[in-house]
Amino acid sequence: MTSHVTTHVLDAVAGRPAAGVGVTLSRHAGGGLTGVASAVTDDDGRVRELGPERLEAGVYRIVFATGEYFAAREQRTFYPQVTIDFSVEDGQGHYHVPILLSPFAYSTYRGS
């Protein structure tokens, strides 16, 4: 079974998808990070395929460029970026990592 990553960013203040958010995916390896992929959320706030179709088991990091997103809307924000580390296990398939975003808070969960 393949393991791959998707995400969805919703702007809780505006009540709509957060289009144009930069997203990077890295893998923890050898005490550092190795870049895997980068993308920008589409008009629906989604990145439908982030990285390769097959990820090795390990710990990964997604970074959302939330500061740039809010700066483009002339809004102050407390979080210049949102960083989420998560584990990928063999045979677990799809990893959906969404965030609900506002300038001073965010939440995330493992989606489906």
Side-chain angles (χ1 to χ4, degrees), residues 9-95:
V9 183
L10 297 172
D11 184 328
V13 173
R16 65 176 177 252
V21 176
V23 181
T24 59
L25 176 67
S26 301
R27 183 173 191 266
H28 289 270
L33 289 170
T34 301
V36 175
S38 62
V40 175
T41 57
D42 63 16
D43 288 343
D44 193 34
R46 295 179 185 275
V47 174
R48 297 175 193 280
E49 294 294 328
L50 183 60
E53 182 63 27
R54 175 83 171 99
L55 294 175
E56 296 178 29
V59 177
Y60 288 80
R61 173 174 288 175
I62 292 183
V63 177
F64 297 89
T66 54
E68 294 172 14
Y69 171 78
F70 285 118
R73 285 147 188 78
E74 299 181 352
Q75 287 183 293
R76 290 181 33 243
T77 183
F78 184 68
Y79 299 103
Q81 63 186 25
V82 171
T83 302
I84 301 167
D85 290 351
F86 63 99
S87 297
V88 168
E89 298 176 15
D90 284 331
Q92 293 298 307
H94 180 213
Y95 288 82

